[in-house]
Amino acid sequence: MYIVKRFFTMLLTIWVIASLTFVIMKFIPGDPFASDADVLPEEVVENMRAKYNLDEPIPIQYVLYIKNLVMFDLGPSIESETRTVNDIISSGFPASATLGLQSLLIAIIFGLLLGIIAALYHNRFLDYVSMVIAIVGISVPSFILAPLLINYFSVKWGMLPVASWGSFQHSILPTLALATTPLAVVARFMRSSMLEVMNQNYIKTADAKGLSSFKIVLKHGIRNAILPVVSFIGPLFVSLITGTFVIEKIFAIPGIGKYFVDSIFNRDYPVIMGTTVFFSVILVFTLFLIDISYRFIDPRIKLTSKGD
């Protein structure tokens, strides 16, 4: 019952986000064809507005917009007359998703590892080293780290390609640039959570019973400490995908970020609204999956609401 309620809550959230996106677009002064009004005949501009339903009253535009979303039709792009928003997303998203997933994997694996090491060696050398790495990772933005990686690994040492997209080697540098900050954040999350868990009474009881340190850390420590990090993974995943905009620009990656940035400058409303809703769906659905995953991480958590 809880899962069903969460599912419908997810649908409601997506509808609210889609509606807010529509309203915000309508509050922006002018329209995508405002600049053409001075150079094209009025009849031509009116026909262009009619093609995209911009000549209809706003309530009708909204109904058509929601209807198309339900049909998974994000509409045609205004800037690219031969392509739809669905085409743009399907062509650009694989590169962005690959980059985001690789960065997420690195951030989770090495972030958890650094956080666990820092907690187990609290106030010792390894703790200091791990936290220095985390602080540096948080302090240095990806758009500053990216040129440094290019300068050393590509220009000076010639180990990896400078830019473009086509093979795994092309994804290494942008992945590292994108993963550094979330890795540091995960490490700090895990360290704080692990320190709190390791000071709980049930950990001391397990130690008093003679359980090995390895079993205590793995079975009781990590399993309970990782829950706050799991809650963070959903927003982190979406932020990594949407955060590739700058990295895609630096490394000339044909991801969805390029199209989104261009759509803002070109007032391509269908692309702006389509990509916004698309990323919102990913975020909401990821959070839904994370809620369900709690039960598998910690069996003590029941997937029921208060009314069940």
Side-chain angles (χ1 to χ4, degrees), residues 20-21 39 42 81 172 200 244:
L20 287 175
T21 304
V39 295
E42 184 178 349
E81 297 181 358
I172 293 177
Q200 296 296 319
T244 61

Side-chain angles (χ1 to χ4, degrees), residues 6-286:
R6 284 289 292 114
F7 178 76
F8 282 104
T9 301
M10 178 183 71
L11 295 180
L12 177 62
T13 303
I14 293 172
W15 171 74
V16 170
I17 294 173
S19 300
L20 287 175
T21 304
F22 177 85
V23 171
I24 291 172
M25 288 296 101
K26 294 307 171 184
F27 269 108
I28 297 177
D31 62 48
F33 306 109
S35 59
D36 298 325
D38 297 331
V39 295
L40 293 177
E42 184 178 349
E43 294 80 5
V44 175
V45 175
E46 290 300 323
N47 288 336
M48 294 170 66
R49 288 195 174 105
K51 179 181 178 181
Y52 296 96
N53 300 316
L54 296 178
D55 60 334
E56 300 284 356
I58 290 181
I60 295 179
Q61 291 185 41
Y62 174 74
V63 172
L64 293 173
Y65 165 68
I66 295 297
K67 178 184 176 181
N68 289 335
L69 285 183
V70 173
M71 300 297 294
F72 302 102
D73 180 8
L74 300 177
S77 168
I78 294 176
E79 183 66 20
S80 178
E81 297 181 358
T82 59
R83 305 182 70 189
T84 65
V85 179
N86 293 54
D87 294 334
I88 291 174
I89 292 176
S90 62
S91 64
F93 184 66
S96 297
T98 299
L99 197 56
L101 286 172
Q102 289 181 180
S103 303
L104 180 67
L105 191 62
I106 291 176
I108 291 176
I109 292 175
F110 291 97
L112 291 177
L113 184 62
L114 282 178
I116 292 169
I117 291 175
L120 296 180
Y121 294 90
H122 183 49
N123 287 335
R124 284 185 274 180
F125 177 74
L126 290 178
D127 182 19
Y128 299 142
V129 171
S130 299
M131 287 303 98
V132 166
I133 295 174
I135 292 172
V136 171
I138 294 175
S139 303
V140 181
S142 59
F143 60 84
I144 293 179
L145 181 61
L148 292 176
L149 293 174
I150 293 174
N151 181 55
Y152 286 100
F153 286 93
S154 298
V155 178
K156 290 188 175 181
W157 300 335
M159 297 172 60
L160 294 168
V162 177
S164 190
W165 190 260
S167 66
F168 175 72
Q169 284 74 19
H170 288 92
S171 70
I172 293 177
L173 291 184
T175 296
L176 291 177
L178 194 62
T180 302
T181 298
L183 185 155
V185 174
V186 170
R188 292 183 66 87
F189 258 88
M190 191 62 187
R191 178 182 181 269
S192 299
S193 182
M194 193 74 178
L195 285 174
E196 182 179 352
V197 168
M198 294 304 291
N199 286 321
Q200 296 296 319
N201 290 332
Y202 61 84
I203 297 292
K204 298 175 182 178
T205 301
D207 185 37
K209 289 181 177 180
L211 290 178
S212 65
S213 298
F214 177 79
K215 286 186 177 180
I216 293 175
V217 171
L218 185 63
K219 187 175 181 180
H220 300 287
I222 297 177
R223 189 167 189 175
N224 289 284
I226 204 173
L227 284 174
V229 180
V230 171
S231 302
F232 179 64
I233 289 177
L236 175 62
F237 172 60
V238 178
S239 68
L240 282 175
I241 297 178
T242 56
T244 61
F245 293 176
V246 176
I247 296 298
E248 288 175 9
K249 193 71 174 178
I250 294 174
F251 289 94
I253 297 172
I256 197 173
K258 173 182 179 300
Y259 298 110
F260 183 77
V261 173
D262 291 344
S263 69
I264 295 175
F265 288 106
N266 297 326
R267 285 176 169 266
D268 196 337
Y269 291 172
V271 175
I272 296 174
M273 293 191 292
T275 50
T276 301
V277 173
F278 178 72
F279 284 126
S280 300
V281 170
I282 294 177
L283 173 59
V284 174
F285 186 69
T286 303

